[in-house]
Amino acid sequence: DSLDSSASTLSGGQQQRLCIARALALEPEVLLFDEPCSALDPISSGAVEDLILRLRERLSVAIVTHNLAQARRIADEVAFFWVKDDAGRLIERGPAEKMFAEPEHELTRAYIEGLRG
């Protein structure tokens, strides 16, 4: 009954899920999310995270986020990048559990502990 309504009448979480549905209609092999929950309340963020967890069972999902708690909840693999000399550099990557528990690089450790960034 809302098919003819503008998407702007939807909540932020509903709009985000609509964008995901539109992307899925193209039958992609990979979905790239850039801060998928940055402007969402905790309930909407949870719904989007649950959707992402279900989607990764059938396609590859990459997420760019500064939300470490979110990355800890939903990532299998983590890559930590840092800008140096006006260029992004890969500092460290690996399984999420290991990266959050025992980062090898001091910059990664400082970021995870909230000392940098």
Side-chain angles (χ1 to χ4, degrees), residues 44-84:
S44 295
S45 292
V48 170
E49 287 179 13
D50 290 344
L51 177 58
I52 290 170
L53 288 171
R54 288 193 311 274
L55 288 173
R56 71 183 195 174
E57 294 173 6
R58 58 183 236 218
L59 53 109
S60 296
V61 175
I63 300 171
V64 177
T65 184
H66 292 89
N67 184 332
L68 294 180
Q70 181 180 69
R72 196 180 307 239
R73 283 190 301 271
I74 64 177
D76 291 324
E77 295 277 328
V78 173
F80 177 66
F81 293 85
W82 193 260
V83 176
K84 183 177 180 181

Side-chain angles (χ1 to χ4, degrees), residues 8-50:
S8 65
T9 64
L10 301 172
S11 71
Q14 290 169 326
Q15 287 181 25
Q16 186 67 307
R17 292 191 300 275
L18 177 59
C19 288
I20 295 168
R22 287 176 173 158
L24 290 172
L26 300 174
E27 299 181 2
E29 294 179 24
V30 177
L31 279 179
L32 171 62
F33 291 90
D34 184 8
E35 300 287 355
C37 301
S38 64
L40 302 181
D41 62 85
I43 293 171
S44 295
S45 292
V48 170
E49 287 179 13
D50 290 344

Side-chain angles (χ1 to χ4, degrees), residues 80-84 87-91 107 111 116-117:
F80 177 66
F81 293 85
W82 193 260
V83 176
K84 183 177 180 181
R89 308 260 188 233
L90 174 63
I91 303 300
L107 191 54
Y111 187 77
R116 294 292 302 260

